[in-house]
């Protein structure tokens, strides 16, 4: 690759902490500090800090901001109140996925969207081309983002915040200071645990990170790398762009129909998704668990009686469920829970079955 | 790497160790290898009686993030495979030179032993970056 890897405001802190740095979506990121399984367990049992500053933030405002987002995203932005967050998808006209994102309504005519790091340039081109008439601002480089996740997250963030965060419901946000740093405190995450995502000015993110680590010691805090971020989200069957969803998968087969709202009116991909819904899905993204001991990985074929019926999109060992688990697209008739399948691993068919998801019961706070 | 390398073992450039036990050779992966892999979550080993060839893959070790082949230091027949690793693959991380051993080979070509790196050579190889 010709372009040098980008670094977040916390790069030096990661190196100093002894993190193993790897390239990810054009960024140099910590994959682990002490070990993936240990970090995974820290998030499930105490609290972990994730540097997700590589993610992109775009702001859009003006009288046409709402209409622009309604046209660009599949979910109903009109139903989103100021102070609320919405998960959504940007689709191509054929219903496949540009990116998945969260939408923040900052004020009646002001929004922020958070997009995947590897898609920032593509998404920026997409939203400014198709979200015309509204004023867009790319705040990605000036914004740091720290996720605080785990059962002790509320105690940790609450202890440093200038307000009562216990009242903040799931997918709600507030402006406030954390450790004296001006942040947007969002009760969201990508782990299945209670927690927060704290947006801060890039120049102050390191101070925020240090304060959270310091105050978190009493709660058993640890910094968590991308490796554990991946196993945590896999146990929840949360899709990862580039693995489970991309420009070849449509939002419905990916199981994201719950954020596709044709009733709201026209949006990019609506006609195609309506047609797909009417005709029925050819395949579905399901959770599978290995019956034979083996690890299913991205790209491995899924078999039924020797016939290829799908493909694995993500797979690993799930430390909290103590099983080898995976996500896979399989033909719709084979997508129901309990279906016996196989995954082809190094030329051998290893028994697997479709199971209920999430693999790990969600511990997120309920909407308040 | 602070872990000391057993002086009486031999080594491969793929980071397997080999230990002579009478006329058998016990095989595992080095502390450096398990450290590089990270948490080992799956180990696939050949069955007793299978034949392995020097420098050829005999099995697979998987960490959370990666799949890596295991290479036989010497040719021969598998007389034992560490069944405990099926249930407790993390033993490879915890005790790579001891309980984390993988296979026991009955060598078919004694000359291959001399081709392997000595502890001193392996240490020097690691100092150069290990690949």
């Amino acid at each position: 690759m010709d372009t040098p890897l980008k670094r977040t405001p916390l790069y030096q802190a990661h190196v100093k902490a002894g993190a193993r740095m790897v390239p990810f979506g054009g960024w140099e990121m910590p994959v682990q500090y002490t070990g993936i399984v240990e970090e995974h367990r820290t998030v499930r049992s105490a609290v972990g800090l994730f540097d997700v500053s590589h993610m992109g933030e775009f702001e859009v405002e003006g009288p046409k901001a709402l209409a622009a987002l309604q046209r660009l995203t599949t979910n109903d932005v009109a139903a989103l109140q100021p102070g609320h967050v919405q998960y959504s998808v940007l689709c191509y006209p054929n219903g496949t996925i540009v990116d998945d994102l969260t939408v923040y309504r900052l004020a009646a005519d002001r929004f922020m969207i958070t997009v995947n790091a590897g898609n920032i340039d593509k998404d920026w081109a997409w939203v400014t081309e198709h979200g015309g008439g509204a004023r867009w601002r790319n705040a990605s480089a000036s914004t740091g983002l720290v996720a605080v996740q785990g059962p002790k997250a509320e105690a940790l963030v609450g202890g440093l915040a200038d307000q009562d965060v216990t009242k903040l419901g799931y997918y709600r946000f507030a402006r406030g200071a954390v450790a004296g740093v001006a942040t947007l405190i969002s009760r969201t995450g990508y782990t299945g645990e209670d927690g927060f995502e704290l947006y801060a000015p890039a120049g102050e993110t390191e101070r925020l990170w240090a304060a959270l680590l310091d105050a978190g010691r009493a709660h058993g805090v640890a910094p968590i790398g991308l490796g554990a971020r991946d196993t945590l989200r896999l146990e929840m069957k949360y899709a990862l762009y580039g693995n489970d969803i991309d420009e070849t998968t449509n939002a419905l087969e990916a199981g994201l129909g719950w954020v596709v709202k044709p009733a709201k009116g026209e949006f990019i991909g609506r006609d195609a998704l309506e047609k797909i819904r009417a005709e029925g899905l050819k395949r579905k993204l399901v959770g599978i668990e290995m019956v034979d001991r083996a690890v299913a990985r991205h790209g491995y074929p899924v078999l039924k009686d020797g016939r290829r019926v799908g493909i694995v999109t993500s797979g690993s060992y799930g430390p909290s469920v103590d099983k080898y688990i995976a996500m896979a697209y399989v033909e719709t008739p084979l997508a129901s829970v309990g279906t016996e399948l196989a995954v082809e691993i190094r030329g051998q068919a290893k028994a697997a079955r479709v199971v209920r998801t999430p693999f790990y019961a969600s511990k997120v706070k309920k909407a308040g | 790497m602070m872990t000391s390398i057993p002086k009486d073992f031999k080594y491969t450039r793929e980071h397997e160790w080999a230990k002579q036990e009478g006329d058998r050779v016990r095989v595992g992966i080095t502390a450096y290898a398990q450290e590089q892999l990270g948490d080992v979550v799956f180990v696939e080993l050949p069955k007793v009686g299978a034949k392995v060839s020097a420098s050829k893959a005999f099995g697979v070790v998987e960490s959370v993030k990666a799949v890596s082949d295991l290479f036989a230091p010497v040719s021969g027949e598998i007389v034992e495979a560490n069944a405990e690793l099926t249930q407790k693959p993390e033993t490879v991380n915890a005790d790579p030179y001891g309980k984390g051993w993988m296979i026991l080979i009955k060598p078919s070509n004694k000359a291959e032993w001399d081709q392997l790196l000595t502890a001193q050579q392996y240490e020097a190889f690691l100092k150069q970056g290990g690949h």
Side-chain angles (χ1 to χ4, degrees):
Chain A
M1 212 162 34
D2 296 319
T3 24
L5 294 170
K6 292 185 279 264
R7 293 174 174 178
T8 75
L10 297 173
Y11 174 81
Q12 292 299 339
H14 301 321
V15 171
K16 223 179 290 173
R20 185 177 299 174
M21 306 300 288
V22 298
F24 176 84
W27 294 76
E28 195 169 0
M29 298 298 291
V31 65
Q32 66 169 63
Y33 298 81
T34 56
I36 293 173
V37 173
E38 182 184 344
E39 291 167 31
H40 178 111
R41 295 194 197 287
T42 296
V43 174
R44 292 268 184 255
S45 64
V47 56
L49 300 187
F50 302 74
D51 177 16
V52 275
S53 301
H54 57 320
M55 296 191 77
E57 297 83 13
F58 305 158
E59 286 181 16
V60 58
E61 63 178 330
K64 294 186 175 166
L66 175 61
L69 286 174
Q70 284 290 59
R71 179 170 162 66
L72 286 164
T73 69
T74 60
N75 209 337
D76 186 5
V77 189
L80 186 65
Q81 316 267 326
H84 291 196
V85 191
Q86 188 178 67
Y87 180 69
S88 195
V89 180
L90 300 175
C91 278
Y92 291 105
N94 69 354
T96 66
I97 301 173
V98 180
D99 205 358
D100 65 332
L101 70 161
T102 45
V103 181
Y104 289 76
R105 191 161 200 166
L106 305 174
D109 60 354
R110 200 157 159 255
F111 302 83
M112 176 178 81
I113 65 173
T114 303
V115 302
N116 283 298
N119 290 338
I120 292 175
D121 294 344
K122 176 184 78 174
D123 290 352
W124 178 251
W126 184 260
V127 300
T128 50
E129 184 186 344
H130 300 284
R135 286 195 301 279
W136 288 91
R137 187 173 82 86
N138 188 342
S140 302
S142 59
T143 307
L145 181 54
V146 176
V148 187
Q149 302 278 301
K152 301 287 174 61
E154 186 175 77
L156 173 54
V157 173
L160 293 172
D162 63 352
Q163 59 192 269
D164 182 9
V165 297
T166 64
K167 296 207 167 64
L168 205 57
Y170 190 51
Y171 269 69
R172 301 287 185 264
F173 72 91
R175 297 270 186 190
V178 176
V181 176
T183 56
L184 187 155
I185 306 167
S186 175
R187 195 134 204 178
T188 48
Y190 195 48
T191 62
E193 296 299 325
D194 182 24
F196 302 85
E197 292 175 300
L198 307 174
Y199 296 80
E204 292 184 75
T205 307
E206 192 162 7
R207 190 155 66 85
L208 175 66
W209 179 264
L212 286 162
L213 276 180
D214 198 36
R217 226 167 283 146
H219 304 289
V221 77
I224 311 297
L226 291 181
R229 185 170 164 82
D230 196 44
T231 52
L232 288 159
R233 70 94 195 166
L234 174 63
E235 287 184 338
M236 301 309 299
K237 195 177 169 257
Y238 292 157
L240 172 63
Y241 195 91
N243 270 49
D244 315 294
I245 53 173
D246 61 24
E247 66 285 343
T248 70
T249 65
N250 73 59
L252 298 176
E253 65 192 9
L256 302 178
W258 62 283
V259 295
V260 176
K261 306 283 174 62
K264 76 171 179 170
E266 179 54 32
F267 61 88
I268 301 170
R270 181 186 181 223
D271 294 348
L273 291 169
E274 283 284 82
K275 187 157 175 276
I276 291 165
R277 199 173 250 161
E279 288 173 355
L281 296 174
K282 291 194 177 64
R283 59 176 191 170
K284 283 184 181 174
L285 187 62
V286 298
I288 62 177
E289 153 187 320
M290 299 306 299
V291 176
D292 286 341
R293 289 187 74 88
V295 191
R297 306 265 183 189
H298 179 82
Y300 287 6
V302 178
L303 312 173
K304 176 73 180 177
D305 303 328
R307 185 174 69 89
R308 190 175 170 145
V309 295
I311 189 159
V312 174
T313 56
S314 291
S316 188
Y317 170 70
S320 300
V321 296
D322 193 24
K323 285 184 175 128
Y324 301 108
I325 54 175
M327 292 160 69
Y329 283 103
V330 300
E331 294 174 2
T332 301
L334 300 171
S336 49
V337 169
T339 306
E340 305 286 338
L341 298 167
V343 177
E344 188 183 321
I345 301 176
R346 292 181 287 277
Q348 292 188 336
K350 298 287 187 182
R353 79 163 73 88
V354 179
V355 294
R356 215 172 291 281
T357 53
F359 301 98
Y360 176 81
S362 175
K363 305 285 190 290
V364 301
K365 192 179 165 80
K366 294 300 152 217
Chain B
M1 280 306 305
M2 48 239 98
T3 324
S4 66
I5 295 165
K7 293 287 176 267
D8 50 339
F9 289 16
K10 289 222 176 187
Y11 300 89
T12 71
R13 285 186 169 75
E14 285 78 33
H15 307 285
E16 286 85 13
W17 55 258
K19 178 193 180 193
Q20 207 132 39
E21 294 183 1
D23 60 348
R24 308 286 158 89
V25 172
R26 195 175 294 273
V27 177
I29 65 170
T30 67
Y32 174 85
Q34 65 79 23
E35 158 84 17
Q36 289 299 305
L37 282 166
D39 294 312
V40 172
V41 297
F42 180 79
V43 180
E44 189 173 87
L45 300 175
K47 289 194 169 56
V48 169
K51 298 277 198 295
V52 296
S53 306
S55 308
K56 295 274 166 55
F58 70 80
V60 164
V61 58
E62 300 199 34
S63 65
V64 176
K65 299 294 278 186
V67 185
S68 306
D69 283 328
L70 296 163
F71 296 94
V74 295
S75 307
E77 187 185 321
I78 303 290
V79 289
E80 209 181 328
N82 188 353
E84 198 183 310
L85 299 184
T86 309
Q87 294 300 323
K88 292 187 156 188
E90 65 273 17
T91 310
V92 176
N93 297 111
D95 191 7
Y97 297 116
K99 291 198 178 74
W101 69 277
M102 291 172 173
I103 51 171
L104 192 63
I105 303 176
K106 184 180 168 193
S108 55
N109 180 357
K110 293 246 160 44
E112 286 168 352
W113 180 259
D114 299 322
Q115 309 294 314
L116 297 170
L117 302 177
T118 64
Q120 201 177 10
Q121 287 167 329
Y122 180 63
E123 213 153 16
F125 174 65
L126 287 182
K127 282 201 181 103
Q128 290 158 23
H131 44 78

